[in-house]
Amino acid sequence: MSSTRLVSLLGLGFGDCGKGLFTDYLCRQWGAHTVVRFNGGAQAGHNVVLPDGRHHTFAQFGAGSFVPGTVTLLAFPVIVHPGALLVEDAYLRRAGVDGALRRILIDGRCRVTTPYHQAAGRMRELQRGAQAHGSCGVGVGETAGHGIDHPDQIIHYADLVRPALAMAKLEGMRRTLRTDFGERCAEPANQDAYAAELSVLDDAGMAARWLEQVAQLTRQAPPASRAQVAQRLHLPGCVLFEGAQGVLLDEWRGFHPHTTWSSIGPASVEAVALDAGQHGRIEHLGILRSYMTRHGNGPLPTHDARLDHLPEPHNASDGWQGRFRRGHPDALLLRYALRVAGPLDGLLVSHLDVFGREPHLRWCGGYQDDDAAGDLCTRDPVSGRIDAILPGAAHDLAHQERLGHLLARARAYYAGEPVADASAFVAQLEALTGLPVLFGSHGPTHATMRILKPLSEPHPML
């Protein structure tokens, strides 16, 4: 049996479920030596608050970086934003974490977000106006799309130590992206912001300045080979795979077009492990809040403005994503997330302290909508209410968009009484999912975590 314990942490909602908190806690609880980022890019925002008040929002570094010695691995196919990584390192130093760049491995095959991708992605979102998809504005989706359309122009992390090659690719992508945009924004109210981003695509000198800046990164964190990645994933001890975003934002299983450009479930974790020749069993743990949340546009059937008083010190309604919304727990979306994610070993729940402040949270047990087609949902035979939503065939974005339209207009039906307290919520959650709730947080720091139930088959290392 392998002496390496592999555990993935997967969000089951629209993000903001507590992945940072649980990653930090489990690095301490299980002594994890490595946190692997296996999907997404710099658009992650995983908050960790320490008992002494220090705080950091982790975007690219693993959320275990406050724990001395814990290494971050940015595995292929993560999309790396070098400039943002340098900025994040500076913020970590202010929070008392020195040498984070000496504790990071970046797979040389990772695609790289450039200033041109970031500018182009923002301009596309500005053009959409009220129909904005909910971009984080850091260029992850633009990088992924550009790589599909123009694979010869995409920069990989290993290219950054070959300046001539990188410069040629940068100029090619700048010219290609510039042809996509005119001088005027389709949304006149966004013209000034649009013009500022357009000036980046018009700046031929940007490439040389950017390469000089990111050389600071490659000197401290040179591109890692596939063999180095494999060696790290075979070290004895615990490896945590920290997912970004949530399953309901998955590029193929989320509700198009309000999705992210990455796949989030267990299959993505297993692909990274297998690429490194690591065939050990992976324990997959799903993470959710005690209530629903969502940034920006996109459906949230249980949204309730009366929940806006719930504190969110690290989730504002400004910035590129837009308004932060809160909603009641949703049994249909949870069952959908579990269905598309695949088998899990257990659940982790954050924000269980909410029941001391909000006595009226209720489970949504169905949707009311008379027009939903039969291939999108099933209905309760007695009430006629929708009791489940159905994913489409693989890569059927038209089906996922239709699901999004259904969820946007559906009216939530709340069965039973409000949830009495955290214990009742956990019991209801286990009954609904058939999964054990292993850990629950009652506050923002690892000191507020409670062990609720041991894993049914504990790893021999424990």
Side-chain angles (χ1 to χ4, degrees), residues 385-420:
R385 285 187 289 269
I386 295 171
D387 59 11
I389 56 173
L390 306 176
H395 298 179
D396 185 352
L397 292 182
H399 181 98
Q400 298 305 119
E401 187 168 11
R402 291 170 61 219
L403 272 182
H405 290 313
L406 165 60
L407 294 172
R409 67 175 186 264
R411 302 183 306 281
Y413 169 76
Y414 298 99
E417 297 297 318
V419 182

Side-chain angles (χ1 to χ4, degrees), residues 291-311:
Y291 56 99
M292 298 295 296
T293 63
R294 181 159 196 166
H295 269 290
N297 290 352
L300 184 65
T302 64
H303 172 231
D304 187 342
R306 292 172 296 180
L307 301 178
D308 285 350
H309 69 277
L310 294 177

Side-chain angles (χ1 to χ4, degrees), residues 60-114:
Q60 295 182 86
F61 285 96
S65 296
F66 276 118
V67 181
T70 303
V71 169
T72 295
L73 168 60
L74 300 185
F76 178 75
V78 166
I79 295 174
V80 178
H81 192 314
L85 199 54
L86 289 168
V87 171
E88 185 174 359
D89 176 62
Y91 275 99
L92 278 170
R93 289 199 303 272
R94 294 176 201 171
V97 180
D98 293 322
L101 286 177
R102 294 193 298 272
R103 291 191 281 135
I104 190 169
L105 282 178
I106 305 175
D107 192 316
R109 297 171 292 171
C110 288
R111 294 161 292 175
V112 170
T113 290
T114 72

Side-chain angles (χ1 to χ4, degrees), residues 336-383:
Y336 175 88
L338 294 173
R339 177 170 183 165
V340 299
L344 301 178
D345 294 280
L347 300 175
L348 316 176
V349 185
S350 67
H351 294 77
L352 287 175
D353 53 320
V354 71
F355 297 103
R357 297 188 299 271
E358 179 46 65
H360 304 299
L361 284 174
R362 304 176 69 184
W363 277 101
C364 168
Y367 300 146
Q368 296 173 329
D369 184 271
D370 296 333
D371 299 324
D375 64 330
L376 298 179
C377 62
T378 62
R379 294 181 183 273
D380 178 83
V382 176
S383 68

Side-chain angles (χ1 to χ4, degrees), residues 147-218:
I148 293 170
D149 296 336
H150 304 279
D152 57 315
Q153 294 179 357
I154 207 71
I155 292 178
H156 298 271
Y157 190 67
D159 295 337
L160 294 176
V161 297
R162 303 172 64 190
L165 173 63
M167 181 66 79
K169 288 187 173 184
L170 282 164
E171 181 57 17
M173 75 173 62
R174 184 185 75 82
R175 292 177 179 272
T176 297
L177 290 170
R178 183 61 178 85
T179 62
D180 289 349
F181 301 98
E183 299 295 324
R184 309 300 300 176
C185 182
E187 292 287 328
N190 294 337
Q191 179 60 38
D192 289 346
Y194 180 90
E197 302 299 338
L198 185 64
S199 69
V200 175
L201 292 182
D202 285 333
D203 185 352
M206 172 71 73
R209 298 194 302 275
W210 181 74
L211 284 175
E212 182 178 356
Q213 178 194 33
V214 301
Q216 303 173 51
L217 176 62
T218 55

